[in-house]
Amino acid sequence: MDVLLDIWLRMTTPHTGLEPIVAWRTVAAAAVIVLFPPVWRLARHAVTIVHEGGHGVVALLCGRRLGGIRLHSDTSGLTVSRGRPSGPGMIFTLLAGYPAAALLGLGAAWLLSLGYDVGLLWVLLVLLALLLVQIRNWFGLWSVAVTGAAVFGVSWFGSPQVQGIFALLVTVFLLLGSLRTSLELQQSRSRRAGSSSDADQLARLTHIPGIVWVVVFVVVQVGCLAFSARLLGFIQI
């Protein structure tokens, strides 16, 4: 009981914001992670976790039966759900993947704007725990477990400043990383005909060109990025 009370107090006690210079350096570090290919290849697994989790959550909300999630070492993933192979439920399930990290980043920015950086980390831990029970392969289990261990370590052992820096780093990484995956998606589509990507599956279901769906992904991601920047005080509108 004391441990649960301690966790609750950590989650609900707001922290003061980071100094501007520290915040901007954290943003720059997140940008380097996303833009520097050797680091991005490793960090991209975190975006894939959120991407597949987005598919899974929306599938359940649409009344589909979630069959499991697989995460692969090449940063790809697969979410299996059962239900009608067409119709709104399938469309929304496919639509959810690419914007998921940006939408999570927007929610994270909102919590950070209120000072709940530790609360954000524990929310992420709960989401990872819920996802873990749906993973159906060893690499996926390892990937989610390692990510959860890193988040837990910072949330439990980190100083308030370390927690704030890490929470902001994760938030900005999700926002920028989500956008990069959509740009990579279009590059992949332009090189390969007959793709089975989310955008191309949406095109086959809706008869709306795949490029339109990629634009939808990017518009949502840019919107989340701009709104998050305003919430966190990086831009003034």
mmCIF file of all heavy atoms in Angstrom, residues 96-131:
data_model
loop_
_atom_site.group_PDB
_atom_site.id
_atom_site.type_symbol
_atom_site.label_atom_id
_atom_site.label_comp_id
_atom_site.label_asym_id
_atom_site.label_seq_id
_atom_site.Cartn_x
_atom_site.Cartn_y
_atom_site.Cartn_z
ATOM 1 N N ALA A 96 -5.208 4.100 -38.063
ATOM 2 C CA ALA A 96 -4.702 4.486 -36.739
ATOM 3 C C ALA A 96 -3.193 4.399 -36.585
ATOM 4 O O ALA A 96 -2.614 5.085 -35.739
ATOM 5 C CB ALA A 96 -5.362 3.611 -35.677
ATOM 6 N N GLY A 97 -2.516 3.551 -37.364
ATOM 7 C CA GLY A 97 -1.117 3.252 -37.087
ATOM 8 C C GLY A 97 -0.167 4.428 -37.189
ATOM 9 O O GLY A 97 0.523 4.776 -36.220
ATOM 10 N N TYR A 98 -0.114 5.046 -38.354
ATOM 11 C CA TYR A 98 0.881 6.104 -38.558
ATOM 12 C C TYR A 98 0.663 7.347 -37.697
ATOM 13 O O TYR A 98 1.629 7.940 -37.216
ATOM 14 C CB TYR A 98 0.979 6.460 -40.043
ATOM 15 C CG TYR A 98 1.856 5.496 -40.802
ATOM 16 C CD1 TYR A 98 1.311 4.379 -41.446
ATOM 17 C CD2 TYR A 98 3.244 5.642 -40.825
ATOM 18 C CE1 TYR A 98 2.115 3.459 -42.103
ATOM 19 C CE2 TYR A 98 4.055 4.736 -41.481
ATOM 20 C CZ TYR A 98 3.489 3.645 -42.119
ATOM 21 O OH TYR A 98 4.302 2.732 -42.758
ATOM 22 N N PRO A 99 -0.574 7.795 -37.468
ATOM 23 C CA PRO A 99 -0.742 8.960 -36.588
ATOM 24 C C PRO A 99 -0.611 8.644 -35.100
ATOM 25 O O PRO A 99 -0.574 9.569 -34.284
ATOM 26 C CB PRO A 99 -2.180 9.436 -36.902
ATOM 27 C CG PRO A 99 -2.564 8.758 -38.167
ATOM 28 C CD PRO A 99 -1.819 7.457 -38.165
ATOM 29 N N ALA A 100 -0.539 7.359 -34.712
ATOM 30 C CA ALA A 100 -0.608 6.998 -33.299
ATOM 31 C C ALA A 100 0.497 7.649 -32.468
ATOM 32 O O ALA A 100 0.241 8.188 -31.389
ATOM 33 C CB ALA A 100 -0.547 5.472 -33.148
ATOM 34 N N ALA A 101 1.738 7.608 -32.951
ATOM 35 C CA ALA A 101 2.844 8.178 -32.178
ATOM 36 C C ALA A 101 2.693 9.691 -32.033
ATOM 37 O O ALA A 101 2.999 10.247 -30.979
ATOM 38 C CB ALA A 101 4.176 7.831 -32.833
ATOM 39 N N ALA A 102 2.214 10.356 -33.090
ATOM 40 C CA ALA A 102 2.016 11.808 -33.015
ATOM 41 C C ALA A 102 0.909 12.158 -32.023
ATOM 42 O O ALA A 102 1.035 13.115 -31.252
ATOM 43 C CB ALA A 102 1.684 12.362 -34.396
ATOM 44 N N LEU A 103 -0.177 11.381 -32.040
ATOM 45 C CA LEU A 103 -1.275 11.644 -31.109
ATOM 46 C C LEU A 103 -0.844 11.365 -29.670
ATOM 47 O O LEU A 103 -1.211 12.111 -28.751
ATOM 48 C CB LEU A 103 -2.483 10.794 -31.484
ATOM 49 C CG LEU A 103 -3.156 11.174 -32.807
ATOM 50 C CD1 LEU A 103 -4.177 10.122 -33.209
ATOM 51 C CD2 LEU A 103 -3.830 12.542 -32.690
ATOM 52 N N LEU A 104 -0.055 10.302 -29.469
ATOM 53 C CA LEU A 104 0.483 10.039 -28.133
ATOM 54 C C LEU A 104 1.426 11.162 -27.717
ATOM 55 O O LEU A 104 1.423 11.590 -26.556
ATOM 56 C CB LEU A 104 1.205 8.695 -28.114
ATOM 57 C CG LEU A 104 1.804 8.277 -26.769
ATOM 58 C CD1 LEU A 104 0.734 8.174 -25.698
ATOM 59 C CD2 LEU A 104 2.542 6.934 -26.900
ATOM 60 N N GLY A 105 2.219 11.650 -28.672
ATOM 61 C CA GLY A 105 3.102 12.773 -28.372
ATOM 62 C C GLY A 105 2.338 14.019 -27.975
ATOM 63 O O GLY A 105 2.750 14.761 -27.082
ATOM 64 N N LEU A 106 1.202 14.259 -28.637
ATOM 65 C CA LEU A 106 0.369 15.408 -28.281
ATOM 66 C C LEU A 106 -0.184 15.255 -26.870
ATOM 67 O O LEU A 106 -0.166 16.215 -26.078
ATOM 68 C CB LEU A 106 -0.773 15.536 -29.289
ATOM 69 C CG LEU A 106 -1.803 16.642 -29.020
ATOM 70 C CD1 LEU A 106 -1.153 18.013 -28.951
ATOM 71 C CD2 LEU A 106 -2.896 16.615 -30.090
ATOM 72 N N GLY A 107 -0.665 14.062 -26.536
ATOM 73 C CA GLY A 107 -1.133 13.831 -25.170
ATOM 74 C C GLY A 107 -0.017 13.998 -24.157
ATOM 75 O O GLY A 107 -0.221 14.557 -23.065
ATOM 76 N N ALA A 108 1.176 13.532 -24.516
ATOM 77 C CA ALA A 108 2.331 13.684 -23.629
ATOM 78 C C ALA A 108 2.674 15.159 -23.438
ATOM 79 O O ALA A 108 2.991 15.597 -22.327
ATOM 80 C CB ALA A 108 3.526 12.928 -24.213
ATOM 81 N N ALA A 109 2.612 15.939 -24.510
ATOM 82 C CA ALA A 109 2.898 17.372 -24.408
ATOM 83 C C ALA A 109 1.907 18.061 -23.484
ATOM 84 O O ALA A 109 2.268 18.972 -22.713
ATOM 85 C CB ALA A 109 2.863 18.004 -25.800
ATOM 86 N N TRP A 110 0.645 17.644 -23.553
ATOM 87 C CA TRP A 110 -0.373 18.231 -22.673
ATOM 88 C C TRP A 110 -0.046 17.942 -21.209
ATOM 89 O O TRP A 110 -0.107 18.842 -20.360
ATOM 90 C CB TRP A 110 -1.744 17.678 -23.041
ATOM 91 C CG TRP A 110 -2.834 18.127 -22.113
ATOM 92 C CD1 TRP A 110 -3.338 19.388 -21.974
ATOM 93 C CD2 TRP A 110 -3.544 17.318 -21.163
ATOM 94 N NE1 TRP A 110 -4.316 19.416 -21.014
ATOM 95 C CE2 TRP A 110 -4.464 18.159 -20.499
ATOM 96 C CE3 TRP A 110 -3.497 15.958 -20.842
ATOM 97 C CZ2 TRP A 110 -5.325 17.678 -19.512
ATOM 98 C CZ3 TRP A 110 -4.359 15.489 -19.858
ATOM 99 C CH2 TRP A 110 -5.247 16.336 -19.212
ATOM 100 N N LEU A 111 0.329 16.691 -20.890
ATOM 101 C CA LEU A 111 0.691 16.367 -19.513
ATOM 102 C C LEU A 111 1.926 17.145 -19.065
ATOM 103 O O LEU A 111 1.982 17.637 -17.932
ATOM 104 C CB LEU A 111 0.944 14.858 -19.384
ATOM 105 C CG LEU A 111 -0.288 13.959 -19.403
ATOM 106 C CD1 LEU A 111 0.123 12.490 -19.402
ATOM 107 C CD2 LEU A 111 -1.192 14.243 -18.210
ATOM 108 N N LEU A 112 2.907 17.262 -19.953
ATOM 109 C CA LEU A 112 4.109 18.020 -19.604
ATOM 110 C C LEU A 112 3.790 19.497 -19.368
ATOM 111 O O LEU A 112 4.387 20.140 -18.508
ATOM 112 C CB LEU A 112 5.157 17.889 -20.705
ATOM 113 C CG LEU A 112 5.853 16.543 -20.841
ATOM 114 C CD1 LEU A 112 6.937 16.620 -21.905
ATOM 115 C CD2 LEU A 112 6.445 16.096 -19.517
ATOM 116 N N SER A 113 2.857 20.041 -20.144
ATOM 117 C CA SER A 113 2.496 21.449 -19.976
ATOM 118 C C SER A 113 1.873 21.706 -18.611
ATOM 119 O O SER A 113 1.887 22.840 -18.109
ATOM 120 C CB SER A 113 1.526 21.888 -21.078
ATOM 121 O OG SER A 113 0.245 21.308 -20.902
ATOM 122 N N LEU A 114 1.327 20.657 -17.992
ATOM 123 C CA LEU A 114 0.741 20.770 -16.648
ATOM 124 C C LEU A 114 1.749 20.419 -15.553
ATOM 125 O O LEU A 114 1.419 20.497 -14.368
ATOM 126 C CB LEU A 114 -0.469 19.839 -16.534
ATOM 127 C CG LEU A 114 -1.621 20.105 -17.513
ATOM 128 C CD1 LEU A 114 -2.707 19.045 -17.361
ATOM 129 C CD2 LEU A 114 -2.199 21.496 -17.311
ATOM 130 N N GLY A 115 2.947 19.978 -15.974
ATOM 131 C CA GLY A 115 3.989 19.645 -15.011
ATOM 132 C C GLY A 115 4.037 18.194 -14.586
ATOM 133 O O GLY A 115 4.811 17.834 -13.699
ATOM 134 N N TYR A 116 3.237 17.349 -15.230
ATOM 135 C CA TYR A 116 3.160 15.949 -14.806
ATOM 136 C C TYR A 116 4.103 15.069 -15.622
ATOM 137 O O TYR A 116 3.680 14.152 -16.327
ATOM 138 C CB TYR A 116 1.724 15.443 -14.923
ATOM 139 C CG TYR A 116 0.759 16.166 -14.014
ATOM 140 C CD1 TYR A 116 -0.330 16.847 -14.531
ATOM 141 C CD2 TYR A 116 0.949 16.179 -12.637
ATOM 142 C CE1 TYR A 116 -1.225 17.519 -13.712
ATOM 143 C CE2 TYR A 116 0.070 16.848 -11.799
ATOM 144 C CZ TYR A 116 -1.011 17.511 -12.340
ATOM 145 O OH TYR A 116 -1.874 18.184 -11.510
ATOM 146 N N ASP A 117 5.386 15.332 -15.510
ATOM 147 C CA ASP A 117 6.340 14.529 -16.268
ATOM 148 C C ASP A 117 6.426 13.100 -15.729
ATOM 149 O O ASP A 117 6.472 12.136 -16.501
ATOM 150 C CB ASP A 117 7.725 15.190 -16.298
ATOM 151 C CG ASP A 117 8.136 15.754 -14.955
ATOM 152 O OD1 ASP A 117 7.400 15.549 -13.968
ATOM 153 O OD2 ASP A 117 9.188 16.400 -14.882
ATOM 154 N N VAL A 118 6.411 12.935 -14.416
ATOM 155 C CA VAL A 118 6.424 11.585 -13.851
ATOM 156 C C VAL A 118 5.099 10.879 -14.138
ATOM 157 O O VAL A 118 5.073 9.681 -14.437
ATOM 158 C CB VAL A 118 6.698 11.633 -12.333
ATOM 159 C CG1 VAL A 118 6.664 10.223 -11.741
ATOM 160 C CG2 VAL A 118 8.052 12.269 -12.063
ATOM 161 N N GLY A 119 4.009 11.610 -14.061
ATOM 162 C CA GLY A 119 2.719 11.038 -14.426
ATOM 163 C C GLY A 119 2.728 10.510 -15.840
ATOM 164 O O GLY A 119 2.198 9.428 -16.123
ATOM 165 N N LEU A 120 3.343 11.262 -16.750
ATOM 166 C CA LEU A 120 3.460 10.818 -18.139
ATOM 167 C C LEU A 120 4.224 9.508 -18.220
ATOM 168 O O LEU A 120 3.809 8.573 -18.917
ATOM 169 C CB LEU A 120 4.161 11.891 -18.972
ATOM 170 C CG LEU A 120 4.660 11.448 -20.353
ATOM 171 C CD1 LEU A 120 3.502 10.987 -21.227
ATOM 172 C CD2 LEU A 120 5.448 12.570 -21.018
ATOM 173 N N LEU A 121 5.335 9.401 -17.508
ATOM 174 C CA LEU A 121 6.144 8.178 -17.568
ATOM 175 C C LEU A 121 5.357 6.972 -17.064
ATOM 176 O O LEU A 121 5.452 5.878 -17.630
ATOM 177 C CB LEU A 121 7.430 8.370 -16.759
ATOM 178 C CG LEU A 121 8.379 9.471 -17.253
ATOM 179 C CD1 LEU A 121 9.610 9.564 -16.366
ATOM 180 C CD2 LEU A 121 8.781 9.236 -18.701
ATOM 181 N N TRP A 122 4.559 7.158 -16.025
ATOM 182 C CA TRP A 122 3.767 6.034 -15.516
ATOM 183 C C TRP A 122 2.607 5.697 -16.436
ATOM 184 O O TRP A 122 2.217 4.533 -16.555
ATOM 185 C CB TRP A 122 3.288 6.332 -14.093
ATOM 186 C CG TRP A 122 4.371 6.056 -13.102
ATOM 187 C CD1 TRP A 122 5.260 6.954 -12.579
ATOM 188 C CD2 TRP A 122 4.720 4.785 -12.554
ATOM 189 N NE1 TRP A 122 6.135 6.329 -11.730
ATOM 190 C CE2 TRP A 122 5.826 4.993 -11.686
ATOM 191 C CE3 TRP A 122 4.205 3.507 -12.697
ATOM 192 C CZ2 TRP A 122 6.419 3.960 -10.979
ATOM 193 C CZ3 TRP A 122 4.795 2.464 -11.983
ATOM 194 C CH2 TRP A 122 5.890 2.695 -11.143
ATOM 195 N N VAL A 123 2.055 6.684 -17.112
ATOM 196 C CA VAL A 123 1.038 6.395 -18.132
ATOM 197 C C VAL A 123 1.648 5.540 -19.238
ATOM 198 O O VAL A 123 1.041 4.561 -19.699
ATOM 199 C CB VAL A 123 0.451 7.699 -18.709
ATOM 200 C CG1 VAL A 123 -0.365 7.420 -19.980
ATOM 201 C CG2 VAL A 123 -0.436 8.387 -17.680
ATOM 202 N N LEU A 124 2.855 5.890 -19.663
ATOM 203 C CA LEU A 124 3.538 5.094 -20.681
ATOM 204 C C LEU A 124 3.794 3.670 -20.197
ATOM 205 O O LEU A 124 3.653 2.711 -20.957
ATOM 206 C CB LEU A 124 4.862 5.762 -21.070
ATOM 207 C CG LEU A 124 4.759 7.119 -21.770
ATOM 208 C CD1 LEU A 124 6.154 7.689 -22.015
ATOM 209 C CD2 LEU A 124 3.996 6.995 -23.081
ATOM 210 N N LEU A 125 4.156 3.526 -18.928
ATOM 211 C CA LEU A 125 4.384 2.185 -18.378
ATOM 212 C C LEU A 125 3.110 1.339 -18.397
ATOM 213 O O LEU A 125 3.141 0.154 -18.741
ATOM 214 C CB LEU A 125 4.900 2.296 -16.933
ATOM 215 C CG LEU A 125 6.389 2.564 -16.762
ATOM 216 C CD1 LEU A 125 6.718 2.805 -15.292
ATOM 217 C CD2 LEU A 125 7.194 1.380 -17.286
ATOM 218 N N VAL A 126 1.991 1.951 -18.043
ATOM 219 C CA VAL A 126 0.718 1.225 -18.062
ATOM 220 C C VAL A 126 0.378 0.792 -19.490
ATOM 221 O O VAL A 126 -0.040 -0.345 -19.737
ATOM 222 C CB VAL A 126 -0.411 2.092 -17.475
ATOM 223 C CG1 VAL A 126 -1.774 1.450 -17.701
ATOM 224 C CG2 VAL A 126 -0.191 2.308 -15.979
ATOM 225 N N LEU A 127 0.569 1.699 -20.453
ATOM 226 C CA LEU A 127 0.279 1.370 -21.846
ATOM 227 C C LEU A 127 1.182 0.239 -22.338
ATOM 228 O O LEU A 127 0.728 -0.664 -23.054
ATOM 229 C CB LEU A 127 0.456 2.613 -22.720
ATOM 230 C CG LEU A 127 -0.545 3.752 -22.478
ATOM 231 C CD1 LEU A 127 -0.182 4.957 -23.341
ATOM 232 C CD2 LEU A 127 -1.975 3.293 -22.772
ATOM 233 N N LEU A 128 2.457 0.276 -21.961
ATOM 234 C CA LEU A 128 3.370 -0.794 -22.365
ATOM 235 C C LEU A 128 2.977 -2.131 -21.736
ATOM 236 O O LEU A 128 3.065 -3.183 -22.380
ATOM 237 C CB LEU A 128 4.807 -0.424 -21.972
ATOM 238 C CG LEU A 128 5.468 0.670 -22.811
ATOM 239 C CD1 LEU A 128 6.752 1.158 -22.140
ATOM 240 C CD2 LEU A 128 5.772 0.164 -24.214
ATOM 241 N N ALA A 129 2.530 -2.096 -20.477
ATOM 242 C CA ALA A 129 2.105 -3.327 -19.813
ATOM 243 C C ALA A 129 0.874 -3.921 -20.502
ATOM 244 O O ALA A 129 0.784 -5.138 -20.696
ATOM 245 C CB ALA A 129 1.799 -3.049 -18.339
ATOM 246 N N LEU A 130 -0.072 -3.072 -20.883
ATOM 247 C CA LEU A 130 -1.264 -3.545 -21.593
ATOM 248 C C LEU A 130 -0.893 -4.118 -22.958
ATOM 249 O O LEU A 130 -1.479 -5.110 -23.406
ATOM 250 C CB LEU A 130 -2.263 -2.398 -21.757
ATOM 251 C CG LEU A 130 -2.906 -1.882 -20.466
ATOM 252 C CD1 LEU A 130 -3.752 -0.652 -20.754
ATOM 253 C CD2 LEU A 130 -3.758 -2.965 -19.804
ATOM 254 N N LEU A 131 0.075 -3.485 -23.605
ATOM 255 C CA LEU A 131 0.515 -3.978 -24.905
ATOM 256 C C LEU A 131 1.242 -5.311 -24.781
ATOM 257 O O LEU A 131 1.112 -6.187 -25.645
ATOM 258 C CB LEU A 131 1.429 -2.937 -25.560
ATOM 259 C CG LEU A 131 2.001 -3.284 -26.936
ATOM 260 C CD1 LEU A 131 0.873 -3.360 -27.971
ATOM 261 C CD2 LEU A 131 3.044 -2.255 -27.359
#
